[in-house]
Amino acid sequence: QKEVEQNSGPLSVPEGAIASLNCTYSDRGSQSFFWYRQYSGKSPELIMFIYSNGDKEDGRFTAQLNKASQYVSLLIRDSQPSDSATYLCAVNGGDGSSNTGKLIFGQGTTLQVKP
Amino acid sequence: DTEVTQTPKHLVMGMTNKKSLKCEQHMGHRAMYWYKQKAKKPPELMFVYSYEKLSINESVPSRFSPECPNSSLLNLHLHALQPEDSALYLCASSQEPFGYGYTFGSGTRLTVV
């Protein structure tokens, strides 16, 4: 059973701090990794994707991937109250030789940014 | 147009009703998806359409019937649902059936009474 694990939180950080969200996955054949943000009552919104080991930065967001450790993380710098949401880690559910389009989602981490 | 449009936004139906959910995208995406999300749970895949053909059915009960009339449209036909089928139904699309992540629609909140 392919799994994606996240700490459900809530993770509480003060405004302006760095929020660090973590995710581990079980399938070594996974090739694509995604972070979605979901506000309460809304649909998920893609904020970052990463395919290669290392860091990928986009504005205040940095995704980090370590395939050897099967670990992906999301850093949010200068956290704002508007960042308060559930962050879903998702991993492609391909069989390693082909991608099926299926994403396997973690349970999500609830982030609270306090003013 | 960078949106996936889902209708209706809310639906209440009885267990003997037949209804349909509709999803539309005009981004030229060739893969479309139906996900189901229960409260405080992650989305769970139901179906994948790749180039208008059903490529994945995650053992979904036959009371859910997907249809892809063309590359821009995806329907989910509902019949004889149970109260436990109440959930947020999300449609998504992607350029190809891999990589780049999905664009989700705003969802249809379904209540079965």
Side-chain angles (χ1 to χ4, degrees):
Chain A
Q1 176 74 5
K2 298 173 183 176
E3 293 182 349
V4 178
E5 300 283 344
Q6 293 181 258
N7 187 325
S8 61
L11 172 66
S12 183
V13 300
E15 184 175 356
I18 296 175
S20 178
L21 305 161
N22 304 313
C23 173
T24 59
Y25 59 95
S26 63
D27 181 12
R28 284 196 171 275
S30 298
Q31 299 173 22
S32 308
F33 307 87
F34 307 88
W35 283 99
Y36 284 84
R37 176 176 63 198
Q38 187 170 26
Y39 293 111
S40 181
K42 301 294 186 182
S43 62
E45 173 192 10
L46 179 65
I47 53 173
M48 291 287 289
F49 61 87
I50 187 167
Y51 306 135
S52 304
N53 276 331
D55 295 359
K56 178 181 179 183
E57 187 173 318
D58 183 0
R60 295 187 297 113
F61 299 99
T62 299
Q64 299 175 317
L65 174 62
N66 184 325
K67 288 187 177 181
S69 300
Q70 295 176 243
Y71 176 94
V72 59
S73 64
L74 179 71
L75 301 178
I76 306 175
R77 289 181 299 281
D78 188 23
S79 296
Q80 301 297 310
S82 58
D83 295 325
S84 298
T86 296
Y87 289 80
L88 295 161
C89 173
V91 176
N92 77 290
D95 63 5
S97 62
S98 65
N99 283 303
T100 63
K102 175 179 179 177
L103 290 186
I104 300 171
F105 286 84
Q107 292 291 318
T109 298
T110 299
L111 173 66
Q112 297 174 346
V113 181
K114 304 208 166 177
Chain B
D1 188 350
T2 58
E3 286 189 345
V4 175
T5 302
Q6 287 188 247
T7 54
K9 294 197 182 308
H10 300 275
L11 178 62
V12 179
M13 60 184 292
M15 289 189 284
T16 59
N17 291 159
K18 287 185 180 181
K19 296 286 185 183
S20 296
L21 310 185
K22 181 179 174 181
C23 175
E24 192 167 5
Q25 59 89 11
H26 296 287
M27 295 178 281
H29 288 178
R30 302 314 303 269
M32 296 185 77
Y33 312 82
W34 281 114
Y35 274 78
K36 173 182 176 179
Q37 187 176 26
K38 304 279 278 186
K40 300 198 181 299
K41 296 291 187 183
E44 292 183 353
L45 181 67
M46 300 175 72
F47 303 104
V48 179
Y49 272 84
S50 175
Y51 293 89
E52 300 163 49
K53 294 191 187 314
L54 183 65
S55 59
I56 295 179
N57 176 340
E58 290 284 283
S59 303
V60 178
S62 60
R63 58 186 184 269
F64 296 92
S65 176
E67 179 195 19
C68 188
N70 59 56
S71 60
S72 300
L73 284 174
L74 186 66
N75 298 319
L76 186 63
H77 302 297
L78 314 173
H79 173 54
L81 294 193
Q82 303 298 309
E84 58 265 29
D85 296 322
S86 299
L88 180 66
Y89 287 84
L90 295 162
C91 175
S93 69
S94 63
Q95 283 183 306
E96 301 284 345
F98 56 85
Y100 305 120
Y102 305 155
T103 299
F104 278 99
S106 58
T108 293
R109 191 160 300 281
L110 174 67
T111 303
V112 181
V113 297

